[in-house]
Amino acid sequence: MKILITYYSRTNITKKVAETIQKNLDCDIEEIIDLKNRSGIFGWIKSCVDAIRGKETKIKPLGKDPSDYDLVIIGTPVWASTMSSATLTYLKENKEKFKEVSFFCTCGSGGYEETFSKMEEIAGKAIETLFITKEDLDSSLESKIQSYAEKFKES
């Protein structure tokens, strides 16, 4: 099975999770780059407002075509109980190219159910989901990711 992980990460937490999944699956990985400056406290506030409004953003063109993969795993931070604007843009631009899709998100504590629901609504499908909370980063990150990755190794 040929797998691609694509992810957006404002603070590198989602990036850390994506890279850990990638190491477990030994697959391709690509970062979604938001062309809007979202750094600092004002960037965080703008990010939440954009997410609440369901506003897309401009992203840097990606080098990997999702249609070349059997499975695309998409990662996002949770912003105001939804996905990042960059992830929203990526999903809308590529939804017709996904053969199979899986999602993961990083969140302070909650909002992942709504996030996954919105992502699945756009993509039209999802075979697996994984959420990582702040507590998971400190205690059970490796075991949660190994369990998630095993599902794809069996396919």
Side-chain angles (χ1 to χ4, degrees):
M1 174 183 281
K2 192 171 178 184
I3 301 172
L4 171 66
I5 299 170
T6 58
Y7 67 93
Y8 171 77
S9 188
R10 190 181 82 84
T11 62
N12 291 326
I13 293 171
T14 307
K15 178 179 182 171
K16 176 182 177 181
V17 173
E19 289 173 345
T20 305
I21 295 169
Q22 189 267 339
K23 287 175 190 167
N24 273 269
L25 292 173
D26 190 27
C27 62
D28 292 342
I29 188 167
E30 188 164 39
E31 183 174 10
I32 302 166
I33 305 292
D34 191 337
L35 296 176
K36 185 175 187 175
N37 182 358
R38 297 187 183 277
S39 62
I41 188 69
F42 293 112
W44 177 77
I45 292 168
K46 285 185 226 173
S47 298
C48 288
V49 170
D50 286 351
I52 290 166
R53 292 181 176 163
K55 188 174 178 184
E56 293 179 53
T57 190
K58 291 184 180 181
I59 60 174
K60 182 179 177 180
L62 298 172
K64 300 189 185 318
D65 183 349
S67 64
D68 293 338
Y69 295 85
D70 301 308
L71 171 66
V72 178
I73 299 172
I74 303 168
T76 184
V78 174
W79 292 350
S81 295
T82 193
M83 72 198 93
S84 68
S85 296
T87 305
L88 174 65
T89 302
Y90 177 80
L91 277 170
K92 286 189 172 185
E93 288 179 358
N94 293 286
K95 64 184 177 185
E96 302 300 324
K97 297 178 181 181
F98 303 135
K99 294 173 185 158
E100 294 290 344
V101 67
S102 177
F103 306 126
F104 75 91
C105 70
T106 56
C107 53
S109 59
Y112 58 87
E113 297 99 344
E114 297 92 337
T115 301
F116 289 146
S117 177
K118 291 173 187 173
M119 292 173 80
E120 187 171 344
E121 183 179 312
I122 293 167
K125 57 188 154 198
I127 59 171
E128 275 304 323
T129 59
L130 169 70
F131 67 93
I132 301 293
T133 64
K134 186 177 178 184
E135 292 77 31
D136 293 330
L137 291 172
D138 298 328
S139 62
S140 60
L141 178 64
E142 289 291 334
S143 64
K144 282 188 87 166
I145 287 176
Q146 284 176 357
S147 176
Y148 175 73
E150 284 301 317
K151 296 171 185 174
F152 304 120
K153 290 178 182 177
E154 295 168 1
S155 298

